[in-house]
Amino acid sequence: MTEEAAVDDHALAAELAAAAGRLLLDVREELGFADARTLKDTGDLRAHEYLMAALAERCPGDAVLSEEGRSSAAGKRSRGDDRSPTRNTADAERLTADRVWIIDPLDGTREFSEEGRRDWAVHVALWRRDPSGGGRLAAGAVALPAQGLTLRTDATGGASLVRTDAGEPDPVTAGPGASRSRLPREAPLHVPAPDAGKLRIAVSRTRPPELVRRLAGGIEPEVELVPIGSAGAKISAVLLGEVDAYVHAGGQYEWDSAAPAAVALAAGAHASRIDGAALEYNQKDPRLPDILVCHPVSASTLLTGIREVSGALP
């Protein structure tokens, strides 16, 4: 990953994700939580417009694919701003571009609108074409603004955990079984191995897939399902040792997983489709409906279990 992305791409992804996160915290402070619909739409659109403007200024030749830049999002309005959202790069141009930013300005909109919840995120990823004509994720960052953290790829080919708010008290556990402790301002990020005999799998708070329910009852070791909000928060929880895996089969798009997958792979995690196939980005159809992220030691168990229960589904 490192040789394919300039140092500035890693830093830029982290900078923009963190800045959009600060903007979203300000939106929460400004509007409060009484009107969830207005808070969601305003957060979505202000973060989108910030990222679109920043990328246009800093990387004017690059294409952009944003959740909020689709025609389906055109009806959304931010409080005090009646303009339609800035549109994504046209598909024909994006599909021939060498560099495409894939962003989710606010992942976990429901959780963003609920007072006290911290499981929402900002995703910024860069897909880059390679000499073969294909391409892959070259840089990525996931900001967790309410937790004061950003997880990012870095110039060493690995991943880092950055405290974006030094005043946040005890933001995360340092790993399975570890006591809460303050982290340094920036530290290398490596996916921790699970404890023997048990797997904690992150699932949707509102739509836990039936496949995962069946998986939990069909494999060894013992499985605990852990409801968490956004996809970015779930994958970050795997990398932070708060859970051991994330399995999703209920329908997602490229912007839901591009940045978290980039960071997960750089942190040494397994990240694939639930049939084991590679995650492919910058496709004509941006739907990317399923994903598995875990420590490599758990991948075989989970892929085998998923294959067995998938065949038993109606």
Side-chain angles (χ1 to χ4, degrees):
M1 179 176 295
T2 304
E3 69 277 11
E4 296 183 357
V7 172
D8 282 351
D9 290 330
H10 302 286
L12 180 60
E15 174 192 334
L16 297 186
R22 290 192 295 273
L23 178 154
L24 287 164
L25 291 173
D26 289 344
V27 172
R28 270 182 148 190
E29 182 70 22
E30 174 190 339
L31 299 184
F33 297 90
D35 184 344
R37 183 74 270 160
T38 296
L39 180 58
K40 291 175 183 177
D41 288 351
T42 300
D44 271 335
L45 295 179
R46 287 191 189 175
H48 167 76
E49 293 301 330
Y50 166 77
L51 291 170
M52 295 297 279
L55 289 170
E57 178 184 358
R58 306 281 288 275
C59 308
D62 293 355
V64 182
L65 174 64
S66 167
E67 179 178 19
E68 299 304 326
R70 301 165 298 154
S71 58
S72 59
K76 284 189 177 182
R77 295 288 183 273
S78 171
R79 174 174 282 188
D81 188 344
D82 291 332
R83 293 174 299 176
S84 296
T86 301
R87 293 293 185 92
N88 289 333
T89 305
D91 285 353
E93 182 180 348
R94 173 174 64 81
L95 294 171
T96 58
D98 289 333
R99 292 162 52 92
V100 180
W101 293 91
I102 302 173
I103 64 175
D104 190 341
L106 174 51
D107 182 58
T109 311
R110 177 193 296 268
E111 287 71 29
F112 172 75
S113 72
E114 296 179 13
E115 187 171 11
R117 293 209 68 92
R118 309 195 310 168
D119 46 351
W120 50 277
V122 179
H123 299 173
V124 178
L126 174 65
W127 176 95
R128 187 168 175 173
R129 191 174 305 283
D130 58 35
S132 72
R136 61 175 176 164
L137 299 172
V142 178
L144 301 171
Q147 300 181 39
L149 297 173
T150 296
L151 293 77
R152 51 163 288 188
T153 59
D154 63 35
T156 70
S160 300
L161 176 63
V162 183
R163 288 177 61 98
T164 53
D165 179 0
E168 179 75 11
D170 300 335
V172 296
T173 55
S179 61
R180 285 181 175 271
S181 61
R182 286 193 173 278
L183 298 171
R185 187 69 178 173
E186 183 165 358
L189 181 64
H190 306 287
V191 61
D195 289 339
K198 185 172 183 178
L199 277 177
R200 300 162 298 171
I201 300 179
V203 295
S204 169
R205 290 177 60 209
T206 55
R207 295 173 291 119
E210 177 61 21
L211 178 144
V212 183
R213 293 183 188 276
R214 296 196 181 201
L215 174 67
I219 63 171
E220 296 289 340
E222 176 187 352
V223 171
E224 174 189 359
L225 301 183
V226 182
I228 298 177
S230 83
K234 294 185 189 77
I235 295 173
S236 295
V238 176
L239 304 182
L240 294 170
E242 297 168 337
V243 297
D244 303 307
Y246 171 41
V247 181
H248 183 79
Q252 286 186 345
Y253 292 83
E254 292 185 13
W255 46 78
D256 292 308
S257 65
V263 178
L265 290 167
H270 170 95
S272 72
R273 302 286 301 272
I274 60 171
D275 63 358
L279 297 160
E280 300 286 349
Y281 293 92
N282 196 34
Q283 302 297 300
K284 182 176 181 180
D285 182 349
R287 284 180 293 184
L288 190 52
D290 55 73
I291 189 169
L292 164 65
V293 178
C294 62
H295 189 280
V297 74
S298 302
S300 177
T301 297
L302 290 168
L303 288 169
T304 300
I306 290 168
R307 184 167 61 247
E308 291 175 352
V309 299
S310 295
L313 287 174

